[in-house]
Amino acid sequence: MHRPAVAIAFLAAALVLTHTQPSFACQGDKVLLAEDFAAADASWGAQTNNFAIKDGSAVIKADSQRGYKALDNAFLFDDADICVTITALDIGKPEASAGGLAFWAQDYRNAYFLLLAANGYYKIGRMMDGAWVNAPLDWTQSDAIVQGVSKPNTLRLTIKGQSLSVFINGKPGAVLRAQSPETSSLIGLYAESADKVDTWKFNDLKVTNVK
């Protein structure tokens, strides 16, 4: 049986893409958490005007000039490879609004955050006793970020001991060391608004071991 030339061409293209496209997902061989947000798991806390889980997404609408964090209280992690896809749905000032991952969280007042802004910058911030302290990594420009509203970006953070490695849409970003907690810690989601209530969407949160 002879295959049409068009079908063969499509098959060849698919094989090339399979081997050349970068993998944006976590790279570990053991899945520690796979959250598809298909249902509102109680471990994320109450559903409110600021935070909701529905239709395969988590959505954060932080109050004006405030931040909002949602932690998954059911899982504790040490070394981990974490990835999530985030999208700015409705923001007033791209340079003053951000969304991303919470990690090394001891509670809602003590945590680190990998943040992405829709104007092409990312940052690692730290909160202690409810106040922001010196950022381990200040706002850094990245050409890997797809800028604008309704543009998904996949964040990946590899944690091994005190070492942090950032990847954005499969491309390597900053590598740094930071003060890790002495115990296992929580992860979660975070978003902050500028002058208006901004909306950020989160999909496909996954945690694996570190290879």
Side-chain angles (χ1 to χ4, degrees):
M1 180 185 220
H2 295 286
R3 297 190 181 185
V6 173
I8 295 174
F10 275 117
L11 178 60
L15 290 172
V16 170
L17 287 173
T18 299
H19 290 287
T20 59
Q21 284 187 325
S23 174
F24 296 167
C26 308
Q27 299 295 304
D29 51 17
K30 181 179 180 182
V31 177
L32 305 178
L33 170 66
E35 174 60 89
D36 60 6
F37 300 114
D41 196 301
S43 65
W44 286 100
Q47 308 291 288
T48 67
N49 291 334
N50 299 115
F51 177 70
I53 295 175
K54 61 180 181 179
D55 302 327
S57 300
V59 175
I60 294 181
K61 298 180 178 180
D63 293 335
S64 174
Q65 297 184 341
R66 299 291 297 271
Y68 187 93
K69 61 187 80 66
L71 300 180
D72 186 338
N73 291 282
F75 293 86
L76 292 169
F77 300 99
D78 296 302
D79 291 350
D81 200 351
I82 311 167
C83 48
V84 67
T85 298
I86 66 173
T87 308
L89 292 183
D90 182 14
I91 55 175
K93 294 181 178 180
E95 72 279 6
S97 179
L101 283 168
F103 66 99
W104 278 347
Q106 299 302 296
D107 50 42
Y108 287 89
R109 294 172 55 83
N110 297 274
Y112 285 76
F113 303 88
L114 171 57
L115 304 177
L116 179 146
N119 65 339
Y121 285 76
Y122 70 101
K123 171 184 180 178
I124 292 180
R126 185 183 185 185
M127 182 178 287
M128 293 183 67
D129 294 328
W132 293 104
V133 297
N134 289 345
L137 178 69
D138 208 347
W139 287 111
T140 301
Q141 193 272 337
S142 173
D143 293 335
I145 297 172
V146 182
Q147 299 184 36
V149 175
S150 299
K151 303 293 186 182
N153 285 278
T154 298
L155 287 177
R156 178 184 166 207
L157 178 68
T158 300
I159 303 171
K160 188 173 181 62
Q162 294 184 327
S163 298
L164 305 173
S165 299
V166 177
F167 301 84
I168 301 173
N169 294 325
K171 297 182 180 180
V175 178
L176 65 153
R177 294 176 62 195
Q179 184 179 12
S180 60
E182 296 180 355
T183 60
S184 301
S185 55
L186 302 166
I187 67 165
L189 311 172
Y190 176 86
E192 58 189 30
S193 295
D195 297 336
K196 63 184 288 293
V197 175
D198 297 329
T199 304
W200 288 82
K201 182 177 73 169
F202 303 81
N203 296 96
D204 302 318
L205 175 64
K206 184 179 179 182
V207 183
T208 71
N209 65 321
V210 178
K211 278 189 175 180

